[in-house]
Amino acid sequence: MRTVAVVGASLAGLSAARSLRKQGYDGRLVVIGDELHRPYDRPPLSKEFLAGTLGEAELALEADDEDLQAEWLLGVRATGLEYAQRAVRLADGREVPADGVVIATGAAARTLPGSEGLAGVHTLRTLDDARALRDELARGGRLVVIGGGFIGAEVASTAYALGLEVTVVEAAPTPLAGPLGETMGAVVSALHADHGVRLLCGVGVKGLSGETRVDAVLLEDGRSIPADIVVVGVGARPCVEWLEGSGIVLDNGVKCGADGRTSLAGVVAVGDCANWYDPRTGLHRRVEHWTGARERPDAAVATLLAGGAVEPGVPRPPYFWSDQYGVKIQFAGHAAGADSVTIEAGAADERDVLAVYRRAGDPVAALGMNQPRLFMRWRKQLAATAS
């Protein structure tokens, strides 16, 4: 390959670029990103950066002396993949010829219909999003978070520490039931009540009120929750619209094999937009976690450089972490496949549990709350079992 284009300049794209050089690729390397910023770390955006205890310079993912000998095309969006011509089309009219392509365009925050143009309403996905929300939170007031997932919970925790009055609205009966299951989702979500944050579950949002700036969140049961600031944390959609018509198979993102290979030769996908096959479960999954964006590009790049002539390995079980109200939450594996969950150490009411999820008696996932040592043992065991 003479030229490889990495489309996406966040962690997954940077990891792919690094892996290309590490695995011996010495040709032209072009990294395309729709943000103007160099690659930065996203997890702190909802925590330390939002709280004002971490600066922008500390978000940088590249070392000061790092040089990948890459061409960086930043602040320009990819609009198409011309597979027959082996080129990536850009919004400014340029085309980047490429013998190989790594798709790493990530995901975008879902918005609330009807909230466009209403001041005080935020999503949190990018550095610019975090800047705007940080400035608003610094003024104080009443915050309503729509969505009780991890991003919403972290924002609520940060805002609580800043002294805001916080309400979290979750449409599901139990927050975090998807990633953690109902039992442990309820345990983790109880952190809100522990700290005086109001949690409203099992009710949807009908809309927002306010002429130029939001002043309340309207619930489907008729209640109105006063709000000076609203954060919408209702998930993310994979950024794959630009690939429509390219011939690549799309299904909840870019549909991939267990090594990131797509339906088109010479094209792999990594990160939040990639729907990888999981040989353990026989299902395709989009893994929207930091560790997936950091680790999986190695396998995808190996596949790309070998022209697909490598046997895919078994990816490590997904791992993610969250910090809420001073509690370290860690999770590895898939809760959805479990038929039981037991607390192996600690106590749920003390928020220091180590819980193990099992299917037919075999461990398939583990959750730790302020149990880092025990959790890491279980994470290693899950990885060993998977491989």
Side-chain angles (χ1 to χ4, degrees), residues 62-304:
E62 298 168 278
D64 292 339
D65 59 350
E66 185 172 12
D67 184 4
L68 294 172
Q69 297 294 305
E71 299 173 36
W72 293 83
L73 304 182
L74 300 178
V76 60
R77 183 170 49 88
T79 58
L81 175 61
E82 305 290 348
Y83 185 69
Q85 290 77 33
R86 294 284 178 170
V88 176
R89 188 173 67 248
L90 306 181
D92 61 8
R94 287 180 290 174
E95 289 192 352
V96 178
D99 307 298
V101 176
V102 179
I103 300 169
T105 41
R110 297 187 186 278
T111 58
L112 195 66
S115 64
E116 299 83 1
L118 196 60
V121 181
H122 299 263
T123 57
L124 182 55
R125 189 78 185 183
T126 69
L127 175 56
D128 292 335
D129 293 340
R131 285 171 173 168
L133 180 57
R134 183 185 58 183
D135 291 345
E136 293 244 41
L137 294 182
R139 302 188 187 104
R142 298 163 298 183
L143 169 68
V144 176
V145 178
I146 301 173
F150 284 104
I151 292 294
E154 289 171 0
V155 170
S157 171
T158 301
Y160 160 80
L162 292 172
L164 281 79
E165 178 186 324
V166 184
T167 300
V168 178
V169 179
E170 169 58 52
T174 305
L176 302 172
L180 302 183
E182 289 187 10
T183 300
M184 298 313 300
V187 171
V188 173
S189 298
L191 287 168
H192 295 302
D194 291 348
H195 294 82
V197 170
R198 187 182 182 193
L199 176 61
L200 305 177
C201 295
V203 58
V205 171
K206 183 178 180 180
L208 306 177
S209 72
E211 294 185 5
T212 60
R213 183 179 180 85
V214 67
D215 58 33
V217 175
L218 308 177
L219 305 184
E220 290 182 342
D221 62 8
R223 283 179 290 175
S224 176
I225 311 299
D228 302 301
I229 309 166
V230 171
V231 172
V232 180
V234 292
R237 56 172 181 78
C239 297
V240 294
E241 299 91 344
W242 68 283
L243 293 167
E244 293 177 1
S246 66
I248 200 166
V249 174
L250 303 176
D251 179 11
N252 185 29
V254 180
K255 194 171 184 179
C256 304
D259 53 3
R261 72 182 73 194
T262 72
S263 58
L264 299 180
V267 181
V268 296
V270 295
D272 292 1
C273 69
N275 192 9
W276 277 42
Y277 178 72
D278 185 344
R280 290 182 298 268
T281 63
L283 302 172
H284 282 80
R285 298 179 185 272
R286 269 198 317 116
V287 177
E288 297 183 57
H289 305 314
W290 191 94
T291 47
R294 173 63 187 85
E295 296 172 353
R296 291 190 171 186
D298 284 345
V301 164
T303 295
L304 179 68

